[in-house]
Amino acid sequence: MPVQAHAEEFRSPGTGENAAVGVLLSHGFTGSPISMRPFGEHLAAQGYGVAIPRLPGHGTSWQEMNTTGWPDWYAVLDNELARLRKEHDQVFLVGLSMGGCLVLRLAEQHGADISGLVLINPSVRTDDKRLVLLPVLARLLPSFPGISNDIKKPGANEYAYDRMPLRALHSLSQLWKVTREDLAKVTQPVLLFRSTVDHVVEPSSGRTVLSSISSRDVTETLLEDSYHVATLDNDAPRIFADSAAFIERLSGSVSGSDDA
């Protein structure tokens, strides 16, 4: 199935002194690399190696997404991580929403291979009691109306699906469960951004992450001027700058771009 133009992957090999550091960024459920592209471009401009892959079933159609599940999405990131580990001395992970859950799972599985995590409104659970029926609904109905483009900034667009593929959503709920069970295995430094108004992911997700991980170097930053897709919202410059400073501090890299 053709990939939509906005869903193109983004990669940069890195330049200068910061090329020793690679950053893997993951978009969220029903989204595509466009939600992370400005973030990735900001890091690439500073010389870091960057990869923003497109997860299977995303950026095409919700019907195709219903044929995929969390092991497919995870496998793409796992393979990308292996490549970055070969090409860079250190690798950091960045995830938005479901992407946050996926990179937490990578951190649980790969330990010291990962130098730090940046999480933006990560989803690891839901308080929506209706989803108790999801295993049944997923067999009866292909989709529900979607929740997308939760962005406060006028004119911004993440181009997510307008339908919620239920079989894929059921698989996401299974990812939440396995990830929550192993959160104590996360020991890497964590920088977590949480929007104070988020119409997609409840605050309980962020609280669950922070109360369950074993990391000692943990920072939570509240975003007062953004909704769920904060990487495309009013607080994006702060997210980019703080994340770059986080990576610089932990990796010993240099600030600014090669052109600075």
Side-chain angles (χ1 to χ4, degrees):
M1 181 168 289
V3 177
Q4 299 169 15
H6 66 265
E8 294 179 353
E9 299 181 326
F10 176 81
R11 289 179 180 81
S12 178
T15 57
E17 295 181 46
N18 289 350
V21 178
V23 186
L24 173 60
L25 300 94
S26 176
H27 63 78
F29 187 77
T30 77
S32 75
I34 193 172
S35 64
M36 304 301 278
R37 187 168 182 120
F39 201 166
E41 290 174 343
H42 178 87
L43 295 171
Q46 299 197 32
Y48 296 114
V50 172
I52 312 176
R54 180 182 63 85
L55 303 181
H58 294 75
T60 53
S61 71
W62 67 261
Q63 291 92 338
E64 182 185 44
M65 189 174 171
N66 252 343
T67 68
T68 68
W70 82 261
D72 304 307
W73 314 327
Y74 180 86
V76 166
L77 295 177
D78 198 37
N79 290 336
E80 200 76 42
L81 174 61
R83 180 185 67 80
L84 289 170
R85 286 289 300 147
K86 291 178 181 178
E87 297 176 358
H88 305 277
D89 296 336
Q90 295 184 69
V91 177
F92 290 80
L93 306 180
V94 180
L96 167 67
S97 193
M98 177 187 76
C101 191
L102 286 166
V103 301
L104 281 165
R105 188 61 180 163
L106 284 173
E108 294 167 355
Q109 297 294 303
H110 292 281
D113 285 347
I114 295 161
S115 296
L117 292 87
V118 177
L119 308 172
I120 306 100
N121 295 321
S123 71
V124 297
R125 58 176 298 143
T126 182
D127 299 332
D128 190 340
K129 303 303 182 185
R130 295 173 298 177
L131 293 193
V132 172
L133 300 174
L134 189 56
V136 175
L137 291 173
R139 292 196 296 267
L140 299 176
L141 296 171
S143 68
F144 274 169
I147 304 174
S148 63
N149 223 45
D150 189 34
I151 305 173
K152 185 176 182 181
K153 183 178 181 180
N157 194 340
E158 66 163 334
Y159 297 98
Y161 297 146
D162 60 0
R163 301 291 299 182
M164 184 74 70
L166 292 188
R167 284 189 289 277
L169 182 60
H170 182 222
S171 185
L172 172 58
S173 71
Q174 295 170 327
L175 170 64
W176 287 338
K177 184 176 186 295
V178 299
T179 302
R180 286 198 311 270
E181 289 173 349
D182 285 343
L183 279 174
K185 294 181 180 179
V186 176
T187 60
Q188 302 88 344
V190 170
L191 174 60
L192 188 149
F193 295 95
R194 181 170 63 82
S195 298
T196 56
V197 178
D198 186 333
H199 304 96
V200 179
V201 172
E202 299 98 339
S204 60
S205 267
R207 288 197 296 265
T208 296
V209 171
L210 293 175
S211 65
S212 303
I213 60 177
S214 300
S215 309
R216 293 189 174 185
D217 184 344
V218 179
T219 302
E220 181 186 27
T221 298
L222 299 182
L223 305 174
E224 305 283 354
D225 199 26
S226 297
Y227 296 156
H228 181 64
V229 191
T231 51
L232 297 179
D233 217 326
N234 295 312
D235 290 302
R238 180 182 183 184
I239 294 172
F240 302 168
D242 287 2
S243 299
F246 174 77
I247 294 170
E248 178 187 343
R249 172 172 67 83
L250 293 170
S251 67
S253 57
V254 296
S255 60
S257 68
D258 291 341
D259 298 327

